[in-house]
Amino acid sequence: MSRPIKGLMIKDLRLVFSQMKLFFVIMAVWGIFMAVNIEQFYFVPAYTAVFCTFISLSTYSYDEFENGTAYLFTLPIRRRDYVRAKYLLGILFMMVPTIVITFAACVAGMVTKGEAAVWEYFAATVTSIGIALVLLAVENPLYIRFGQEKSRIFKLVSFGIIGGGLGAIGSLVGESADGMSVISSILGLDLWMLMLLMAAVSAVLVCVSYCISCAMIEKKQY
């Protein structure tokens, strides 16, 4: 990792942690509480992954404050470094809390003798990270192209799509003892192959999104 990218990530991490310490504590406590008290265990990693993705995207608003982005580009920083730092920050913010919170929820479920198996928590985590990666791939180019204010309508649309998708998953899991197996049988793939396919598709989307974001930011005037 180059020094400019590392510096940009440290800047964003300091901003987020200085502004949102309480949010992370609430998220952790609430996630564990929900894991113990509701049957839809998959909600915990999905909530964490999506919530943390939007936290990483909120750093665009800090950069735009008082033409901060224009000032950043007066420093020895390439525009592609800026984009790469945003994507790395989003992946870091989304994956680490999701894994930690899901592990804590899994332990809490085992202590309280929950019905969900360990592999089901793992499958839910992989699925949630895949959804969050797709969200990251869609939102980053929009924030770069339109800015924080104009991207609000797209954010609302994203919330609607994610909510509908999670509702469909919840309905499937509720109607079947093993919702992932149902999806797997429909597509004619083994469960683990299905998860690998989801990961591969999400990774490809992020790479395509990164290239689009780089092209956009090179042409944008600040």
Side-chain angles (χ1 to χ4, degrees):
M1 184 184 297
S2 66
R3 292 182 64 182
I5 295 175
K6 187 183 297 184
L8 288 168
M9 291 186 66
I10 291 174
K11 169 189 71 69
D12 287 336
L13 287 171
R14 286 181 178 274
L15 281 171
V16 170
F17 285 123
S18 65
Q19 299 292 327
M20 299 186 178
K21 291 179 181 179
L22 181 61
F23 283 98
F24 282 105
V25 174
I26 293 174
M27 181 181 67
V29 174
W30 188 80
I32 295 173
F33 173 80
M34 294 296 284
V36 174
N37 290 278
I38 66 174
E39 296 180 358
Q40 290 81 4
F41 63 90
Y42 60 85
F43 180 80
V44 176
Y47 162 79
T48 305
V50 172
F51 180 78
C52 290
T53 299
F54 276 112
I55 286 180
S56 71
L57 292 170
S58 70
T59 58
Y60 282 105
S61 64
Y62 292 114
D63 291 344
E64 291 178 3
F65 183 70
E66 294 187 351
N67 294 319
T69 307
Y71 171 75
L72 282 175
F73 292 144
T74 64
L75 303 175
I77 296 173
R78 296 185 305 169
R79 294 194 176 197
R80 287 178 176 267
D81 291 337
Y82 178 81
V83 174
R84 192 172 301 171
K86 291 297 183 184
Y87 276 81
L88 290 175
L89 179 75
I91 293 171
L92 176 68
F93 253 88
M94 170 256 299
M95 292 190 69
V96 174
T98 301
I99 293 172
V100 172
I101 294 298
T102 307
F103 176 77
C106 181
V107 172
M110 293 173 64
V111 171
T112 57
K113 297 181 179 180
E115 297 181 359
V118 174
W119 78 267
E120 291 178 306
Y121 280 98
F122 176 77
T125 302
V126 173
T127 304
S128 301
I129 289 175
I131 293 172
L133 283 174
V134 172
L135 176 64
L136 192 72
V138 172
E139 291 291 330
N140 266 301
L142 295 176
Y143 274 79
I144 290 173
R145 175 64 178 84
F146 299 106
Q148 174 75 9
E149 293 297 324
K150 294 181 180 179
S151 296
R152 287 182 178 178
I153 183 65
F154 298 107
K155 184 185 293 187
L156 293 175
V157 173
S158 298
F159 271 122
I161 294 174
I162 292 170
L166 293 177
I169 294 173
S171 177
L172 180 61
V173 174
E175 294 175 1
S176 171
D178 188 354
M180 289 294 289
S181 295
V182 173
I183 299 175
S184 179
S185 63
I186 292 174
L187 297 178
L189 296 174
D190 182 75
L191 179 59
W192 298 107
M193 289 298 295
L194 176 63
M195 295 175 67
L196 286 175
L197 177 62
M198 291 174 56
V201 170
S202 299
V204 170
L205 286 175
V206 170
C207 290
V208 172
S209 172
Y210 169 75
C211 293
I212 294 173
S213 296
C214 287
M216 285 182 174
I217 202 167
E218 291 291 352
K219 296 179 180 178
K220 188 170 183 179
Q221 299 294 325
Y222 289 95

